[in-house]
Amino acid sequence: LEEITPRPVQDTVNILKQGYLEKRSREHSFFGSEWQKRWCVLTRRTFYYYANEKSKQPKGTFSIEHYNAQLAFHLRKDSRKRCCFELICPGKRTYEFTAPSPAEAEDWVDQVQFLLKDLNSLTIPYDEEDEEELYNDVDSSDSVNTPSHNTTLNQDELNIEMEDDDIYEILPGKQPNKQ
């Protein structure tokens, strides 16, 4: 497993989203799970959570890769149930959060999903209809068998056959040797 070196919020680059969320703790008290206010930071690959905005060291970090984000109204029974979301990864810990508002919860989910789509994309998307138009001048092994490429080769072959058999240039003042 990859180890993530905890860094202060101020040193974290590429912050995509940050703000206060309530995070459900892993420890269960007599009254059930407790929600703790945490300053959360989402970067391109990592989710950090801190005790507060001024904390130097995170309380926890995890790689966001392979996680899925979804709204989770079942996490709470009170009036804030529509503010809940969770980050789930098979075989790893599930992280449960409550945002300040339902719109903010949706925004966190959208940001994580957008980031995951970007991380999972191994190819640059393109429109198949425009592929030939955009890339028809690129020589590749696939294009050798295209009809337009074969036509060009055939035309070149015809031009060669139609040329004079003499391949030597005649310089001014010199007469070619007749055999």
Side-chain angles (χ1 to χ4, degrees):
L1 288 173
E2 155 188 345
E3 285 293 317
I4 298 171
T5 307
R7 292 178 288 180
V9 173
Q10 294 80 4
D11 295 342
T12 305
V13 292
N14 298 319
I15 294 174
L16 300 176
K17 185 153 181 69
Q18 61 185 349
Y20 279 105
L21 297 172
E22 288 182 23
K23 183 185 134 317
R24 183 180 257 175
S25 66
R26 274 194 285 194
E27 294 87 37
H28 296 286
S29 70
F30 177 73
F31 300 106
S33 296
E34 290 188 27
W35 294 90
Q36 299 156 335
K37 190 173 184 180
R38 296 286 181 241
W39 178 255
C40 298
V41 177
L42 177 64
T43 67
R44 292 187 184 278
R45 295 194 172 269
T46 309
F47 193 101
Y48 299 85
Y49 53 96
Y50 298 81
N52 60 53
E53 193 175 354
K54 296 182 182 3
S55 296
K56 298 287 185 217
Q57 291 299 317
K59 290 232 163 247
T61 65
F62 60 96
S63 172
I64 200 72
E65 202 169 1
H66 306 298
Y67 269 82
N68 184 30
Q70 62 189 29
L71 293 173
F73 301 152
H74 66 276
L75 295 179
R76 294 180 81 135
K77 304 283 186 233
D78 61 10
S79 62
R80 305 213 32 227
K81 67 181 182 179
R82 294 190 116 18
C83 303
C84 297
F85 69 96
E86 57 190 357
L87 301 175
I88 302 168
C89 182
K92 293 187 179 180
R93 176 182 173 191
T94 296
Y95 292 89
E96 301 167 331
F97 298 97
T98 302
S101 69
E104 192 66 17
E106 283 182 40
D107 192 44
W108 277 95
V109 168
D110 290 346
Q111 285 292 326
V112 171
Q113 287 177 338
F114 178 80
L115 178 62
L116 293 171
K117 188 184 296 184
D118 190 43
L119 284 174
N120 293 329
S121 175
L122 299 176
T123 58
I124 298 170
Y126 66 91
D127 186 352
E128 289 181 18
E129 292 175 11
D130 295 340
E131 181 181 8
E132 188 174 327
E133 181 182 333
L134 293 172
Y135 302 109
N136 63 1
D137 61 342
V138 177
D139 189 18
S140 70
S141 59
D142 293 343
S143 66
V144 171
N145 296 325
T146 61
S148 62
H149 196 272
N150 286 340
T151 303
T152 305
L153 285 178
N154 291 340
Q155 186 63 42
D156 289 344
E157 290 169 13
L158 287 173
N159 289 342
I160 292 171
E161 290 173 11
M162 292 168 68
E163 286 181 8
D164 191 9
D165 289 335
D166 192 0
I167 60 170
Y168 297 102
E169 182 180 350
I170 300 173
L171 298 173
K174 301 261 186 176
Q175 293 298 320
N177 294 341
K178 300 283 183 194
Q179 293 179 354

